[in-house]
Amino acid sequence: MAWRDDINAICAALPGAEKSDPWGGGHDCWKIGGKMFALHGMEPGICVKCRDIETAEMLRDTINAARAPYFHRSWIRLPENTDLNEARHRIQVSYGLIRSGLTKKLQASLPQWEGR
């Protein structure tokens, strides 16, 4: 299975996750409650949100991540050679951050998640 397929499977397994291609052209945009938590765009790799700018900077220095183009500085792009366990962890963190930022009412309407 290709890395992108593995990444999509990881995202699809998260409760309430929805995939779309809002800009056309082959993007895999993953959202929870209408808010994006992961994006596989035209450039190889997956863009995910980090807890803060400092965490994103640390990850760029330690795991070969890059600044995610067109995103806030708290987002990174993991290259396609990123270990799948690391990518899964980063996707789950991003999902949890976005999910926790949704309104309480919207959060309550979503399937349960035993977040990390």
Side-chain angles (χ1 to χ4, degrees):
M1 186 183 290
W3 192 83
R4 187 171 181 164
D5 294 334
D6 290 336
I7 293 299
N8 281 332
I10 291 166
C11 292
L14 295 168
E18 298 177 343
K19 179 181 162 189
S20 66
D21 186 1
W23 305 285
H27 294 85
D28 294 334
C29 180
W30 287 95
K31 296 180 180 182
I32 180 68
K35 303 286 186 180
M36 183 171 27
F37 69 89
L39 174 70
H40 195 296
M42 298 307 292
E43 294 183 30
I46 184 84
C47 297
V48 293
K49 181 169 178 52
C50 298
R51 187 164 314 284
D52 50 39
I53 294 169
E54 293 77 20
T55 301
E57 290 172 349
M58 184 268 305
L59 290 171
R60 287 196 300 267
D61 291 340
T62 59
I63 65 167
N64 198 30
R67 183 163 178 201
Y70 312 109
F71 285 90
H72 185 268
R73 292 185 326 173
S74 62
W75 283 72
I76 58 171
R77 182 173 49 81
L78 301 171
E80 285 192 341
N81 63 354
T82 301
D83 175 75
L84 277 179
N85 288 326
E86 178 69 26
R88 177 181 290 108
H89 174 69
R90 293 290 145 213
I91 290 166
Q92 289 172 342
V93 167
S94 182
Y95 170 89
L97 290 167
I98 299 301
R99 183 176 174 131
S100 69
L102 300 174
T103 65
K104 297 296 179 193
K105 183 177 180 179
L106 184 52
Q107 288 183 48
S109 72
L110 296 170
Q112 291 294 318
W113 180 54
E114 301 302 321
R116 296 189 168 115

